[in-house]
Amino acid sequence: MSQRPKPGFVTQQTVRDQRRATIIRVVITAIVVVVGVAGVMFVLSQRGNDTDDTNSEITQPPSDAFVDGAGIAFGATDGPVRIDVYEDYLCPACAAFEELSGETLRDLADSEQATVVYHPITILDSRSPTQYSSRAASASVCVAEYNKDVWPAFQEGMYADQPQDLGPHVELRYRGLRCIAWS
């Protein structure tokens, strides 16, 4: 008799080889999944920690441009109406609001029918690799502190040059002011 198994007959060695191959595939797949999940969790945890605690306390410089140390004010200091505008220079909706209402707000402030207080905020920093919102808000406060009269033109220029593409290099531009940040 021949030592060869009949066709369709499975030997114990074949069963062991198939079982070993299956176990190896399962272990390799599990390792890949665990490493992938760990990588995703690491990336997500790093995104959540992007805030810089060194800027958590912002102090406003003493200036007549600010009301209650909280915003850039125009119009009568004790006007009959106070309008507070919160704006992020990276926000398309803020730009649309400024385009629609900016002139009216300036007219109300100029005629002293209202006190208009602008609050630069940074709600869209997470969408910018260069923290454009924070840099633009800081520049806005600097302009108001050193020359409040040019601040409305600065604000208008910031919205006119609002970046559309948030690539790794975003410039903050306004006439003589040019700040470049690389991520």
Side-chain angles (χ1 to χ4, degrees):
M1 261 200 172
S2 85
Q3 294 282 352
R4 286 183 134 184
K6 294 180 183 178
F9 183 74
V10 179
T11 65
Q12 286 183 344
Q13 183 64 36
T14 306
V15 169
R16 280 190 297 239
D17 290 345
Q18 289 174 347
R19 186 177 301 144
R20 186 177 309 131
T22 301
I23 289 171
I24 289 172
R25 278 190 219 112
V26 168
V27 168
I28 289 174
T29 303
I31 290 171
V32 168
V33 167
V34 168
V35 168
V37 168
V40 168
M41 290 175 62
F42 176 76
V43 168
L44 291 177
S45 71
Q46 293 302 310
R47 282 188 183 171
N49 294 335
D50 282 346
T51 58
D52 185 6
D53 290 337
T54 60
N55 291 331
S56 61
E57 291 185 34
I58 298 174
T59 57
Q60 299 288 350
S63 172
D64 65 341
F66 302 97
V67 169
D68 302 327
I72 302 164
F74 293 92
T77 54
D78 58 349
V81 176
R82 177 175 164 155
I83 302 169
D84 289 276
V85 179
Y86 293 84
E87 59 187 2
D88 184 331
Y89 292 110
L90 190 57
C91 173
C94 297
F97 175 79
E98 174 59 28
E99 186 177 331
L100 290 172
S101 305
E103 187 176 337
T104 302
L105 293 174
R106 283 186 289 282
D107 289 345
L108 287 170
D110 290 343
S111 67
E112 298 195 353
Q113 293 176 346
T115 302
V116 181
V117 183
Y118 292 92
H119 304 272
I121 58 174
T122 60
I123 56 176
L124 294 177
D125 259 352
S126 63
R127 293 187 51 207
S128 168
T130 61
Q131 296 180 326
Y132 182 86
S133 294
S134 291
R135 294 182 309 113
S138 295
S140 174
V141 171
C142 287
V143 169
E145 178 185 12
Y146 293 106
N147 193 346
K148 182 180 168 184
D149 295 334
V150 299
W151 187 87
F154 170 83
Q155 178 202 36
E156 188 176 315
M158 290 300 294
Y159 284 125
D161 291 336
Q162 188 178 59
Q164 302 300 315
D165 178 28
L166 300 177
H169 172 245
V170 178
E171 288 189 18
L172 176 64
R173 289 187 243 182
Y174 173 72
R175 295 183 191 169
L177 174 69
R178 184 171 182 229
C179 303
I180 302 175
W182 294 89
S183 63

